[in-house]
Amino acid sequence: SQQGEEDPQALSIQEGENATMNCSYKTSINNLQWYRQNSGRGLVHLILIRSNEREKHSGRLRVTLDTSKKSSSLLITASRAADTASYFCATDGSHAGGTSYGKLTFGQGTILTVHP
Amino acid sequence: SQTIHQWPATLVQPVGSPLSLECTVEGTSNPNLYWYRQAAGRGLQLLFYSVGIGQISSEVPQNLSASRPQDRQFILSSKKLLLSDSGFYLCAWGKGETNEKLFFGSGTQLSVL
């Protein structure tokens, strides 16, 4: 089944504005992770939120998780042109408490463009 | 510190030719290793993963195979490439039974013509 479907597919904002991306998933998870990918490059891990957490912060990043709605959001505050990239959410492949060996399932991503 | 190397960065191959992509990890032992494929503008699809030498699990039936001849070496192969094998291939590593972070290589853009 599809996990980690992000919306919007593309987001265009001005520097200094906040950017919010959403992710929905279908099955139980141990954790949900967000990754960033610059064009033509590998993915870089941004932040992880566990299934028993509701909100997490890291610098200008804020992630929320609503397990009842099976959804997460990533907020980037005070965006910069350097934040331009694709952002992916990823969920582990096991049911809660199981062993996944890191088999993450990625969504289709949100392409964020920040205009200077 | 740990690093992951993946090569080549780009590859153009004719249909029916063989393929070998290599990925190596430095600075850690017994990593979990993964091959993902990314179609243009799309998310990542897990192809293979390995939790130890010689241990390969395939996630989707396809024209590709993977091998792990050494602890920190992961190879993606094909005997005869198809047009549909084109894409961006990413190698990644993680640790433990429940990875909390994957580290990705820089990717190989494969074009099969």
Side-chain angles (χ1 to χ4, degrees):
Chain A
S1 63
Q2 286 288 330
Q3 286 277 76
E5 300 292 335
E6 291 96 334
D7 79 272
Q9 291 186 343
L11 182 60
S12 182
I13 59 175
Q14 294 295 126
E15 213 167 26
E17 294 179 342
N18 295 341
T20 300
M21 290 160 267
N22 303 296
C23 168
S24 61
Y25 59 92
K26 291 188 167 68
T27 64
S28 298
I29 60 172
N30 287 325
N31 62 65
L32 186 145
Q33 305 177 30
W34 285 90
Y35 288 79
R36 166 194 168 127
Q37 182 183 33
N38 284 44
S39 180
R41 306 290 294 174
L43 280 71
V44 176
H45 183 269
L46 294 176
I47 193 166
L48 175 150
I49 186 164
R50 302 180 198 283
S51 60
N52 62 353
E53 297 177 313
R54 292 297 168 258
E55 187 172 313
K56 201 158 184 183
H57 297 256
S58 177
R60 293 184 297 112
L61 304 179
R62 172 177 171 257
V63 171
T64 62
L65 179 65
D66 186 334
T67 53
S68 67
K69 295 181 179 178
K70 291 187 169 57
S71 67
S72 173
S73 67
L74 171 68
L75 168 68
I76 304 175
T77 59
S79 63
R80 306 165 181 168
D83 294 328
T84 294
S86 293
Y87 292 82
F88 296 89
C89 69
T91 55
D92 63 354
S94 66
H95 293 292
T99 298
S100 69
Y101 289 106
K103 291 189 295 178
L104 298 181
T105 302
F106 286 81
Q108 300 304 304
T110 293
I111 301 172
L112 173 66
T113 303
V114 182
H115 300 281
Chain B
S1 64
Q2 302 90 359
T3 55
I4 178 169
H5 302 280
Q6 186 181 343
W7 67 92
T10 59
L11 190 59
V12 180
Q13 293 284 96
V15 170
S17 63
L19 172 73
S20 181
L21 301 181
E22 187 164 343
C23 172
T24 60
V25 179
E26 296 178 356
T28 188
S29 60
N30 196 32
N32 299 325
L33 296 171
Y34 309 87
W35 279 111
Y36 281 88
R37 178 169 60 198
Q38 184 179 30
R42 305 282 291 175
L44 279 68
Q45 179 187 36
L46 179 62
L47 302 176
F48 300 96
Y49 74 96
S50 171
V51 299
I53 296 174
Q55 300 178 60
I56 308 295
S57 295
S58 174
E59 290 295 296
V60 291
Q62 58 206 317
N63 185 42
L64 303 169
S65 62
S67 62
R68 184 171 178 173
Q70 299 180 43
D71 181 45
R72 289 169 290 176
Q73 183 185 29
F74 206 23
I75 298 172
L76 183 69
S77 304
S78 173
K79 292 182 179 178
K80 289 186 178 181
L81 285 168
L82 305 172
L83 287 174
S84 57
D85 292 324
S86 294
F88 191 54
Y89 288 83
L90 289 156
C91 181
W93 73 271
K95 291 286 281 187
E97 291 188 352
T98 53
N99 288 330
E100 298 197 335
K101 178 186 290 188
L102 290 187
F103 298 88
F104 283 83
S106 54
T108 295
Q109 182 64 55
L110 172 65
S111 298
V112 183
L113 305 176

